Amino acid sequence: DIVLTQSPGTLSLSPGERATLSCRASQSVSSDYLAWYQQKPGQAPRLLIYRASSRVTGIPDRFSGSGSGTDFTLTIGRLEPEDFAVYYCQQYGGSPYTFGQGTKLEIK
Amino acid sequence: QVTLKESGPVLVKPTETLTLTCTVSGFSLSNAKMGVSWIRQPPGKALEWLGYIFSDDERSYSASLKSRLTISKDTSKSQVVLTLTNMDPVDTATYYCARIRDGGSPFQYWGQGTLVTVSS
């Protein structure tokens, strides 16, 4: 099974700052089938990025994904108040479709 | 418009069997390469993938739950059913279903989730 390790566990930043979240896979992710989700309290996760760098329609362009193979990054260009949430990466290149343990983005 | 909705008991006792239903609309479970996956999230913890079923009845389960978990579907009712036997308090979680497609598909559409508590 592919284990996804996200870092940092918690990221404390201020609105307007840039956020960089990391997701490292224990083995190469097939076809770079790596997704990023945002989850706010009491809500289902929301898909932001798929196939490592493709942004879902309607997601603001301050969200961008990069990386390939085993190292992936989610960057949020200028943080808005509504961006403070928990972010998960997930690989869906093959079963089991594992998730990372999450990065909590909190207001500093 | 694609929607999914989970339903089932909010409270189960230890050793009992949990049965949850995911009712879908906006797509058909008989469409080629279409499927539904189940995911759960214990309170305050990370997401855990449980398994999936596709329109051709291909299934896959989490290794840690494989002996207890069954996912089935009723295409005529647009429903996917999760059955988890021998429930334990550690199975307390919000259970989600999500639409997937064969050939590599992120989870773009999710249900709202249903919280299941295991307690005597």
Side-chain angles (χ1 to χ4, degrees):
Chain A
D1 297 1
I2 296 179
V3 176
L4 299 179
T5 302
Q6 292 186 241
S7 61
T10 302
L11 186 57
S12 299
L13 294 171
S14 300
E17 291 192 295
R18 178 187 185 93
T20 302
L21 288 66
S22 174
C23 177
R24 178 162 291 178
S26 60
Q27 54 189 279
S28 185
V29 176
S30 175
S31 301
D32 290 338
Y33 281 166
L34 190 286
W36 289 95
Y37 300 85
Q38 176 193 69
Q39 188 179 34
K40 296 181 179 179
Q43 296 183 15
R46 178 173 70 147
L47 177 66
L48 303 173
I49 302 288
Y50 63 97
R51 205 155 188 182
S53 60
S54 296
R55 191 184 311 112
V56 173
T57 300
I59 298 301
D61 61 7
R62 62 180 181 275
F63 290 90
S64 63
S66 62
S68 66
T70 60
D71 288 295
F72 301 89
T73 300
L74 174 69
T75 302
I76 310 173
R78 283 179 58 87
L79 287 166
E80 299 286 344
E82 62 267 26
D83 298 336
F84 292 90
V86 179
Y87 292 83
Y88 293 95
C89 59
Q90 179 213 19
Q91 71 82 21
Y92 54 96
S95 179
Y97 295 167
T98 45
F99 289 91
Q101 82 278 18
T103 289
K104 181 179 181 181
L105 179 56
E106 64 177 22
I107 299 177
K108 187 174 182 179
Chain B
Q1 180 187 3
V2 173
T3 65
L4 303 95
K5 187 172 184 178
E6 306 87 352
S7 59
V10 296
L11 180 67
V12 298
K13 291 181 169 56
T15 75
E16 288 186 339
T17 294
L18 171 68
T19 299
L20 294 176
T21 299
C22 175
T23 302
V24 309
S25 64
F27 68 99
S28 173
L29 294 172
S30 63
N31 285 0
K33 300 189 178 182
M34 202 65 71
V36 168
S37 190
W38 285 95
I39 306 99
R40 72 179 180 181
Q41 185 173 38
K45 296 188 176 181
L47 300 164
E48 178 187 13
W49 178 80
L50 303 182
Y52 64 60
I53 187 168
F54 282 106
S55 54
D56 61 358
D57 274 338
E58 177 192 351
R59 297 172 174 86
S60 182
Y61 300 125
S62 165
S64 64
L65 294 173
K66 194 170 186 177
S67 63
R68 301 169 50 212
L69 179 63
T70 302
I71 299 175
S72 60
K73 62 180 173 68
D74 185 331
T75 301
S76 66
K77 294 182 178 178
S78 295
Q79 292 179 335
V80 174
V81 176
L82 174 148
T83 303
L84 189 60
T85 62
N86 195 24
M87 292 289 282
D88 182 273
V90 300
D91 296 313
T92 293
T94 296
Y95 287 75
Y96 297 98
C97 58
R99 192 192 80 168
I100 56 174
R101 292 180 176 175
D102 197 6
S105 164
F107 298 178
Q108 184 168 8
Y109 300 100
W110 294 66
Q112 64 192 20
T114 185
L115 175 62
V116 178
T117 301
V118 184
S119 175
S120 54

